[in-house]
Amino acid sequence: MKKTAFLFLLISAFTFAQTSLLEQKIHSILKNKKATVGVSVLGFENGFKYDKNSDKKLPMQSVFKFHITAAVLNSVDQGKLSLDQKIVLNQSNLLENTWSPLRDKYPAGNVEIPLSEVIEYTVAKSDNNGCDILLKLLGGTQTVQKFMNSKGVKGFQIKYNEEAMHKDWKVQYENYSTTKSAVDVLKKFYDGKLLSKKSTDYLMQVMLSTSTGLNKMVEQLPKNTPVARKTGASGKNSAGLTGAENEIGIITLPNGKHYAIAVFVSNSMETDAVNCRMISDISKEVWEYFNK
């Protein structure tokens, strides 16, 4: 056997062993958990892939704010919208009884703020009112669906806004994604295949400033690790069921390389703390795999 062929086989065997070890560790994290958990990991430079339940169509909750914002920025790229254009905030779009740091900042409404501020609150702070303002600006969820379809994004569906999801627990399941779709769309985004370079850089910076879900993907990573991410959570219904506890993200490694990760915890009877810890522990194991 030639030396190069032997080295290839040796490297392949080592990679397989490492992947199997990662699989075992994730299996251990999820063992006996009363939940459906989808996991996908995609190495950008080395093409590494790991998938568990990656084709299950699971509710996104606020993860869909990434897709919505991408569609808005596509309209910016086309000149239909501008980051500087003014958005009027009033009682009709600052709904009560929903997560809205934007409403907390402008409780009386009757102000005009730039579209960029709405985007930043929607993504980095996961503002539900901001989300629905963006959807109204686009003309509805169908515009987001058409944009994602046009970019070849599979395993993704969006039908309802935040207000509708708050009114009916069941409709969240109509806004779904597979975890495989989530990491694939993040790779398209990173590669500049969704948006212009200017819009890509802008949204990347907004995602890097995300302040929600600090007990999930970033909890056990080294401090100041660059993670461009979007969280999502449903809370629990009256039966104690969590529809979704999710996160997607692009992680930059110390060596300058990158990977995307998506973890969706669905239909869980575990506590909120356990649901978030699953995401945190999986994120830690994946980080350690890439840093061996």
Side-chain angles (χ1 to χ4, degrees), residues 69-271:
T69 301
V72 170
L73 290 173
N74 177 62
S75 289
V76 171
D77 288 341
Q78 294 177 342
K80 296 176 182 178
L81 298 173
S82 166
L83 291 178
D84 297 327
Q85 75 182 75
K86 299 301 182 183
I87 305 296
V88 177
L89 300 184
N90 52 43
Q91 295 304 310
S92 71
N93 58 20
L94 292 177
L95 303 183
E96 299 292 336
N97 302 316
T98 191
W99 173 256
S100 183
L102 195 61
R103 182 197 59 235
D104 296 341
K105 183 177 180 180
Y106 303 105
N110 300 316
V111 295
E112 292 184 349
I113 64 172
L115 174 58
S116 59
E117 187 172 356
V118 178
I119 288 173
E120 287 151 24
Y121 268 79
T122 298
V123 176
K125 299 182 185 298
S126 206
D127 194 286
N128 292 337
N129 284 324
C131 172
D132 285 359
I133 289 169
L134 295 181
L135 281 172
K136 186 174 182 180
L137 200 61
L138 285 171
T141 56
Q142 65 272 18
T143 303
V144 183
Q145 187 70 60
K146 287 177 182 177
F147 173 61
M148 288 295 151
N149 291 349
S150 75
K151 297 298 181 178
V153 177
K154 308 294 185 183
F156 167 85
Q157 177 177 285
I158 180 171
K159 285 190 172 183
Y160 295 97
N161 66 5
E162 286 284 358
E163 184 179 5
M165 285 198 292
H166 277 70
K167 289 179 178 178
D168 185 346
W169 173 268
K170 293 181 292 185
V171 304
Q172 69 176 299
Y173 294 94
E174 295 297 313
N175 292 335
Y176 63 71
S177 175
T178 66
T179 55
K180 183 180 186 303
S181 174
V183 296
D184 286 347
V185 77
L186 288 176
K187 181 65 162 59
K188 288 178 185 289
F189 167 62
Y190 177 83
D191 288 342
K193 294 180 179 178
L194 286 186
L195 303 166
S196 68
K197 185 179 187 308
K198 183 177 180 180
S199 289
T200 299
D201 291 347
Y202 170 69
L203 182 52
M204 189 72 75
Q205 288 304 309
V206 174
M207 293 173 71
L208 285 166
S209 72
T210 293
S211 58
T212 55
L214 297 177
N215 61 339
K216 294 197 277 190
M217 187 177 290
V218 299
E219 182 181 45
Q220 299 183 69
L221 301 188
K223 189 177 180 181
N224 298 323
T225 297
V227 183
R229 59 197 182 91
K230 185 69 204 79
T231 58
S234 67
K236 288 187 175 293
N237 67 8
S238 58
L241 182 76
T242 298
E245 190 71 67
N246 301 337
E247 190 156 15
I248 66 173
I250 298 171
I251 288 80
T252 301
L253 295 160
N255 63 9
K257 295 184 178 181
H258 310 80
Y259 63 90
I261 178 172
V263 186
F264 288 5
V265 179
S266 183
N267 293 330
S268 175
M269 292 302 294
E270 304 292 342
T271 65

Side-chain angles (χ1 to χ4, degrees), residues 12-39:
S12 296
F14 177 77
T15 302
F16 177 77
Q18 291 295 101
T19 304
S20 296
L21 182 59
L22 175 63
E23 188 170 6
Q24 290 170 21
K25 288 184 175 181
I26 292 176
H27 175 75
S28 178
I29 291 166
L30 301 180
K31 187 178 180 180
N32 299 325
K33 297 297 192 299
K34 298 174 183 178
T36 297
V37 183
V39 184

